[in-house]
Amino acid sequence: MKAFTALFQALDATTSTQAKLAAVQAWLEAVPAADAAWGVFFLTGQKLPQRVPVAELKALAASEARIPAWLFDESYEAVGDLAETIALLLPAPQQPQAVPLHQLVEGQLLGLRTLDPASRAAVVRQVWCSLPSEQRLVWNKLVTGAFRVGVSRQLVLRALAAVTGLEVGTLAHRLMGGWKPSPTAWQSLIATDQSDARTGRPYPFCLAHPLEQPVAQLGPREAWQAEWKWDGIRAQLVCRGGTVQLWSRGDELISETFPELVAAGRHAFAEDLVLDGEVLVWRDGRPAGFGELQKRLGRKQVSPRLQASLPVVLLVYDLLERAGEDLRAQPLAVRRAALEQLMRDVVLPVSPLQLAPVLAAPDWPGLAAAREQSRAEGVEGLMLKRLDSPYAVGRARGDWWKWKVVPYTVDAVLVYAQRGHGRRANLYTDYTFAVWQGDALVPFAKAYSGLSDAEMREVDAFIRANTLERFGPVRTVAPGLVFEIAFEGLQLSTRHKSGIAVRFPRMVRLRRDKPPAEADRLEDIRAMLARTAC
Amino acid sequence: MDLVTLTEAGLYCPAGDFFIDPARPVARAVITHAHADHATTGHGAVLCSAEGAGITRLRVGPQPTLEALPWGEPRQIGDARVSLHPAGHILGSAQVRIEVAGEVWVASGDYKVEPDPTCTAFEPVQAHTFITESTFGLPVYRWPAQRQVVADMASWWQRNQAADRASVLFVYALGKAQRILAGLGTLLGDDCGPIVVHGAMTALTDAYRAAGVRLPQTSLVSALPKDFPWHQALVLAPPSAQGTPWMRRFGAYADAYASGWMLVRGQRRRRAVDRGFVLSDHADWPGLLQAIEATRAQRVLVTHGQVPVLVRWLAEQGLQAGALEAGYGGEQELETAVTVPDA
Ligand SMILES: [Zn+2]
Ligand SMILES: [Zn+2]
C-alpha cells in the first residue's frame, strides 16, 4: 500500500504526462505481481462497488475522531471529498504497519460488503489503526469506490507496454471483458505469447473525436464513410465458440439487460465473429430517444412485457472479427463490405440485429444538409470515418470524427449553488438554473462545467454576496445572473418540476448583457420540444 | 457589561472609546498586527506592541501618532486598562487585554500556539471573555510540525538544484516569508545557497532584521543580473506573482505554495503548483481549543473564519459561546502583501 500511495501522490502532484508515465513505469517495475495486478485494475479506472454504505462510514469516522455528526458534515463540506475528510480527521495510527496492496484488497476490502455492520466496522477500524495517515486516504477511496487519479487508461497501458515490451493494443485487449486481478491474471496479461485465446473478450473500442475544423478540410468526400451518430449505447456483440455476449463501451457485460440481442446473435451466427454497433430503443422505424433506453438499463430481470414495450435493436456498423480472424487492421471499406455481405446473408429482416445505414449524399454540402435533419431523425449528428482507416485502439486522431448538431441553448437564471468537489471544494461551482413560468422561476437544469476558472471565481463571489438562505451545503441565490445553457437532448418528464428533462447540460457563457427578467420561459422550451418530437 | 462590541468599523471598546483593528479610519485604534486586513490607514492615534512597531508603521502610514507598548505593560485609556500580550502569529502580533472594574476581556487578534522563531510565543492570558479567531476552526485542520515542513522545503529545494531548476515558493510577504527564511537559516546554516526575494518582501524582511530577528542573507530579484544562476536559487514571491511575466527570468522552475490551506488536496490542486507545503500562521483546531481552554474564559466570542462551527462546538462543551462577525479576513487566509512595486 505504501508504494501504491506514493504512486498516487506522485500522479496527483504533476500535470506532466511524461512525469506520470515515468511514475507508473517505475512503480510497475518495483512492485510484485499481486500488487501490480490490483494497481493496474484501479489505475485503469475499474471500480469495486462501494464496500461500506456512506452513512456507516461517516458514523464510524466521526466516532473514531470523537466528533459529533454535524461537525463531521461541516468538515466534509469544507474538504469536499469523503475519503480525504476521513483521512484528515482520524487520530494518528497507533502501530503503523506495511501491508501490501493486494493483501488489503483481498483480505479486507473485498469481504466488507457481505459482513454485518458491526464486523464491517471492526475491519475498517483495524485497517485505519494500522495504516499511516497518507495511506488511509487511498484506502478510503477504495472503500468508497471513489478512487480516481489523473491518469488515462491509455497512459497506464503505455507504461505497461514500455515495461513488458508488448503492444498497447494487445494489453488493452487482454484487459477487456471483466479482467480480474490476481497473480495468474497478471502473468497472462504480461505473457509474451501472443496467441492467447480471445474467448469472451471484446476489443478495445475505436473512438471518434469531435470535428472542430470545417468539414471541407477533410479532403475529398469519396475518402469518407458517413453514418448517423446514434444516441444509444455503444456495444460489441462477441460470438465465440458458441457463446454470445454483449459488452458495453464501459467494459460492462450487458447480455442480461438485452437478452433479445444475445438470442438473435446466437440464432444468426454459426461462426466466431465480433460486431460493433449501437443499442437503441426502436419504434416506428426510428430511435425512440435515450430516455426510453434508460428505462431498460440497470435491470437484472427483463420481462417479456418490458421487451415488448421498449423494443431494442443493435444497429451494427463494424465487423472486427470473422471466422476467428482479427479484421481490425483491414481498411474500413473492406470491413464494411464484409459486414454488408454478412448481414445480407445470415440476418433476417425481422431480427433486432440490423445494419446501420451509410449516408449516400455525394458531397460535403449534401452531408451538411443531412446533418441538419439529425433532430428529425432522432440522432445526434453524423459520424465521418475514413474509408482506409483501421479499427484503432482508443482515440486515434484524424480517422474518425463525430460531427454533432449544434446543441440546444437556453438562457436561464442561477438559483441554487453548491460547493464543488475535489479541486473546486472551496468554490461554489455546482449550479441549478431556472426559467420563468409566469412570474415564478422553475428550476430545470443543473450544470457544473463550461466556465473558466476566472469566471467561476467571479460567480462564486456573486453567490457569497447574494445568498438568500443556506440549507447544508446548498445556497439559495438571489436571481441576478443569467447563463446560456447548452444541452444535447430534451424530453418530457414527470419526475422534474419543470416537466422537462435535459441531457448533458453545460454552461456556454455568462450572459452579462441579460437581466434575469429576459431569461427564457418554460413555454419557449416546451415549444422547442414540440418542434423536435414527432 | 460588554467591554467590546461590534460596530460598522469593527470591534469597539466603549469604556476606552477605541477600536481594535478597525476597517475604516477612526480617532483611536489598537492594532493587533500588521497584516493588511487588521492594520489599515487613516487613523488619528495608533497603539501597537513595541515588537511590532516597525512593521505596523509601514502599514498605517506616517500620519497617525504611534504608541508602542512593551509586552504586558498596562496603559489606561479612558475607563479601560489595556495591555498587550504576544499572540505568536507574526512579529509583534498582540492579544489585547482590557480590564474595566475587575472584568477582563481578551481579544486574540490572529494567533497560533506553535513556536515561531520570528516572534514572541503565544501567551495564555486569563479572561472572563475571550474573543477568538477561527480561520482554521474545523477538526480537519491539524498542522504537521514546523520543523518537518521546513525540512521538506529544504529537500525540495535541493532536489530542484540537482535538476537544474529554480525553486519558486509562493508565500505571504509578511510573516510566512520571514518564518520560512528563519527556519531554513537554522536548518541549513548561512551557507544554504542563494535566496532571492520579490520586491514586495524586501521592506518587510528588512523591518524584521531591524527588530532583531536573525534571517539568512537575501537578495532582491530585480537587483540581480539576468544571467544569475537562478537554477540554484530559492525564490520567495507573493502568490500574486504566480503566472506573471515576472516569472520568466527564472527559466525552468518548480513552484510551491506554503499555506495552511495546502492541507486539503482540492486547495492544492486549485493553486496549480507543483507542491503544497502545509504551514500556517494561524492556530489549527487543537491549537484553538488549547488556547481557549488556557484563558479559562466562561464566555467565548468567535470571529474571523469558521464562526458558526466553533460557536456550536464550544456551546456543546458547556461554554457560553457567541458569534462576533467582524468584516475582515473572511473565508480565506487574507494576508496580502504591502505592495512595493518590483522595479
Ligand atoms: Zn494575520
Ligand atoms: Zn487576519
Side-chain angles (χ1 to χ4, degrees):
Chain A
M1 192 65 166
K2 187 172 178 211
F4 191 60
T5 302
L7 173 64
F8 175 81
Q9 289 172 334
L11 294 174
D12 199 37
T14 179
T15 50
S16 144
T17 308
Q18 277 314 311
K20 287 182 181 186
L21 197 58
V24 177
Q25 279 185 35
W27 168 79
L28 280 169
E29 275 159 0
V31 296
D35 285 353
W38 278 109
V40 163
F41 177 83
F42 292 119
L43 289 173
T44 51
Q46 300 180 75
K47 289 189 170 22
L48 299 171
Q50 170 104 36
R51 304 319 276 194
V52 181
V54 169
E56 219 175 285
L57 199 63
K58 281 180 168 181
L60 186 59
S63 115
E64 286 296 292
R66 296 174 196 284
I67 57 169
W70 69 266
L71 190 52
F72 183 92
D73 291 339
E74 291 280 358
S75 301
Y76 180 22
E77 202 214 322
V79 174
D81 178 293
L82 182 63
E84 187 183 3
T85 307
I86 295 173
L88 289 171
L89 284 172
L90 293 174
Q94 286 142 4
Q95 315 121 331
Q97 288 161 13
V99 193
L101 174 65
H102 78 275
Q103 197 177 310
L104 267 179
V105 174
E106 289 161 12
Q108 269 87 17
L109 191 61
L110 291 182
L112 281 176
R113 268 212 313 180
T114 51
L115 295 176
D116 62 276
S119 333
R120 193 150 55 201
V123 173
V124 172
R125 203 181 290 125
Q126 177 255 321
V127 175
W128 281 341
C129 285
S130 67
L131 286 184
S133 305
E134 66 282 0
Q135 295 181 29
R136 288 164 170 175
L137 172 65
V138 176
W139 157 260
N140 291 346
K141 284 189 169 293
L142 299 180
V143 171
T144 58
F147 182 84
R148 224 170 5 122
V149 63
V151 286
S152 63
R153 190 183 169 90
Q154 201 65 19
L155 187 142
V156 178
L157 290 175
R158 273 167 62 199
L160 203 50
V163 172
T164 58
L166 293 166
E167 304 249 326
V168 166
T170 306
L171 290 163
H173 190 199
R174 287 176 176 175
L175 278 170
M176 297 293 285
W179 187 76
K180 291 270 183 316
S182 71
T184 327
W186 182 256
Q187 293 317 332
S188 41
L189 175 67
I190 62 170
T192 43
D193 176 11
Q194 306 258 2
S195 66
D196 51 329
R198 285 181 292 264
T199 316
R201 274 199 299 253
Y203 289 103
F205 285 82
C206 177
L207 305 176
H209 281 270
L211 184 68
E212 275 144 9
Q213 73 267 44
V215 70
Q217 285 180 14
L218 294 181
R221 160 72 177 94
E222 298 71 45
W224 296 83
Q225 172 172 310
E227 304 163 17
W228 293 119
K229 172 153 186 10
W230 305 100
D231 185 14
I233 292 173
R234 181 85 180 272
Q236 281 179 30
L237 191 70
V238 180
C239 313
R240 287 190 194 118
T243 46
V244 177
Q245 294 181 328
L246 191 66
W247 290 91
S248 79
R249 212 192 99 190
D251 202 15
E252 207 182 326
L253 190 61
I254 50 173
S255 302
E256 287 177 8
T257 314
F258 302 106
E260 63 266 59
L261 299 180
V262 172
R266 202 176 296 124
H267 186 87
F269 307 118
E271 59 189 327
D272 285 2
L273 53 81
V274 177
L275 297 169
D276 183 15
E278 196 103 355
V279 180
L280 297 157
V281 169
W282 196 263
R283 264 196 216 111
D284 308 326
R286 52 171 282 138
F290 195 81
E292 293 293 286
L293 183 56
Q294 252 171 337
K295 297 179 188 164
R296 290 271 320 241
L297 301 182
R299 290 178 193 251
K300 279 273 169 249
Q301 291 294 314
V302 183
S303 66
R305 230 180 98 202
L306 194 70
Q307 289 183 35
S309 66
L310 296 164
V312 292
V313 296
L314 178 69
L315 283 191
V316 179
Y317 38 67
D318 217 325
L319 177 62
L320 313 184
E321 180 183 320
R322 186 165 190 191
E325 188 196 347
D326 184 348
L327 301 178
R328 293 177 300 156
Q330 305 273 344
L332 172 62
V334 172
R335 300 199 307 274
R336 176 77 196 188
L339 175 67
E340 288 182 1
Q341 192 212 7
L342 172 79
M343 297 299 279
R344 207 173 34 236
D345 289 353
V346 302
V347 179
L348 296 172
V350 293
S351 168
L353 307 180
Q354 291 297 326
L355 183 67
V358 162
L359 299 182
D363 51 21
W364 293 125
L367 281 178
R371 174 168 163 268
E372 292 309 313
Q373 297 306 308
S374 294
R375 283 209 176 104
E377 297 282 341
V379 299
E380 292 184 298
L382 304 189
M383 289 295 299
L384 302 173
K385 300 174 179 173
R386 199 182 274 281
L387 279 165
D388 60 5
S389 63
Y391 190 90
V393 170
R395 220 179 276 271
R397 211 176 167 83
D399 281 347
W400 286 25
W401 299 102
K402 42 187 172 190
W403 190 21
K404 290 208 204 180
V405 279
V406 181
Y408 304 96
T409 65
V410 160
D411 291 332
V413 185
L414 172 67
V415 288
Y416 300 116
Q418 191 166 353
R419 286 195 198 213
H421 283 269
R423 104 191 157 83
R424 296 158 161 194
N426 250 46
L427 287 177
Y428 284 86
T429 57
D430 298 6
Y431 310 137
T432 301
F433 298 97
V435 290
W436 294 102
Q437 183 177 33
D439 53 7
L441 281 166
V442 188
F444 91 106
K446 276 182 162 210
Y448 27 82
S449 66
L451 291 188
S452 70
D453 278 10
E455 285 173 318
M456 216 150 19
R457 275 194 288 274
E458 180 188 341
V459 176
D460 178 76
F462 175 89
I463 291 163
R464 287 172 199 269
N466 292 279
T467 299
L468 300 176
E469 290 166 288
R470 300 180 63 160
F471 308 98
V474 181
R475 293 189 181 208
T476 310
V477 184
L481 291 185
V482 176
F483 288 77
E484 184 177 331
I485 310 295
F487 42 94
E488 305 287 344
L490 198 63
Q491 62 194 108
L492 289 173
S493 157
T494 47
R495 284 178 302 135
H496 295 77
K497 211 173 179 180
S498 61
I500 284 171
V502 296
R503 279 193 76 207
F504 298 133
R506 63 176 194 276
M507 291 170 263
V508 180
R509 61 193 158 132
L510 183 52
R511 296 291 306 254
R512 293 186 177 83
D513 54 322
K514 272 210 173 180
E518 286 175 26
D520 282 320
R521 319 190 65 79
L522 198 52
E523 300 94 89
D524 306 333
I525 303 178
R526 289 233 171 85
M528 211 184 261
L529 186 62
R531 280 201 301 279
T532 57
C534 303
Chain B
M1 183 194 57
D2 282 355
L3 299 194
V4 175
T5 61
L6 188 63
T7 69
E8 292 252 302
L11 300 180
Y12 175 67
C13 171
D17 189 23
F18 62 87
F19 291 83
I20 301 170
D21 295 344
R24 56 180 71 159
V26 299
R28 180 177 275 284
V30 174
I31 288 184
T32 60
H33 67 289
H35 275 148
D37 55 331
H38 297 257
T40 53
T41 58
H43 311 305
V46 166
L47 180 74
C48 69
S49 74
E51 183 181 301
I55 49 173
T56 303
R57 180 55 96 184
L58 286 177
R59 267 296 150 66
V60 299
Q63 281 83 25
T65 57
L66 192 136
E67 187 181 343
L69 202 60
W71 294 130
E73 193 174 298
R75 165 80 159 78
Q76 194 70 30
I77 309 178
D79 294 333
R81 193 177 151 89
V82 176
S83 56
L84 300 178
H85 304 265
H89 173 58
I90 61 169
L91 180 68
S93 63
Q95 310 175 69
V96 185
R97 181 185 187 276
I98 303 169
E99 183 174 346
V100 178
E103 167 92 3
V104 176
W105 284 45
V106 169
S108 74
D110 291 345
Y111 66 91
K112 68 170 176 289
V113 294
E114 198 187 4
D116 175 342
T118 63
C119 61
T120 308
F122 177 87
E123 175 196 330
V125 181
Q126 285 194 28
H128 298 103
T129 297
F130 183 52
I131 300 173
T132 182
E133 64 131 316
S134 58
T135 307
F136 290 102
L138 280 171
V140 285
Y141 298 115
R142 288 177 295 173
W143 305 147
Q146 175 191 297
R147 206 152 26 104
Q148 187 55 50
V149 178
V150 172
D152 289 348
M153 281 177 185
S155 58
W156 171 74
W157 179 17
Q158 282 157 354
R159 269 202 312 281
N160 291 333
Q161 285 178 326
D164 275 340
R165 54 177 182 235
S167 306
V168 181
L169 181 56
F170 298 112
V171 289
Y172 286 112
L174 172 55
K176 197 84 56 76
Q178 294 76 21
R179 182 179 173 196
I180 290 169
L181 286 172
L184 288 172
T186 309
L187 184 73
L188 302 174
D190 289 331
D191 195 27
C192 56
I195 302 179
V196 299
V197 299
H198 185 273
M201 287 164 182
T202 43
L204 294 162
T205 306
D206 288 345
Y208 264 65
R209 293 198 179 96
V213 180
R214 203 178 122 73
L215 300 177
Q217 198 199 335
T218 55
S219 325
L220 177 59
V221 167
S222 54
L224 294 168
K226 283 225 154 35
D227 59 353
F228 185 81
W230 302 113
H231 60 278
Q232 291 302 305
L234 174 68
V235 183
L236 295 187
S240 57
Q242 193 182 358
T244 64
W246 181 83
M247 302 284 300
R248 281 191 205 136
R249 68 191 79 198
F250 304 125
Y253 67 86
D255 56 2
Y257 188 81
S259 160
W261 302 112
M262 292 300 105
L263 189 70
V264 176
R265 186 165 162 248
Q267 294 276 2
R268 275 200 306 275
R269 298 173 73 95
R270 201 151 73 76
R271 277 287 161 192
V273 288
D274 299 326
R275 187 74 196 262
F277 292 108
V278 182
L279 190 71
S280 176
D281 287 331
H282 291 268
D284 59 2
W285 174 259
L288 290 169
L289 302 186
Q290 179 197 328
I292 291 165
E293 165 124 37
T295 64
R296 305 218 194 136
Q298 284 309 298
R299 183 173 177 208
V300 179
L301 298 175
V302 182
T303 178
H304 209 325
Q306 295 284 351
V307 176
V309 172
L310 192 55
V311 168
R312 180 166 174 188
W313 172 264
L314 295 172
E316 287 184 1
Q317 310 310 305
L319 288 172
Q320 200 189 333
L324 201 59
E325 291 257 27
Y328 42 46
E331 301 186 34
Q332 288 297 317
E333 204 176 11
L334 264 187
E335 293 164 7
T336 43
V338 173
T339 40
V340 179
D342 180 49

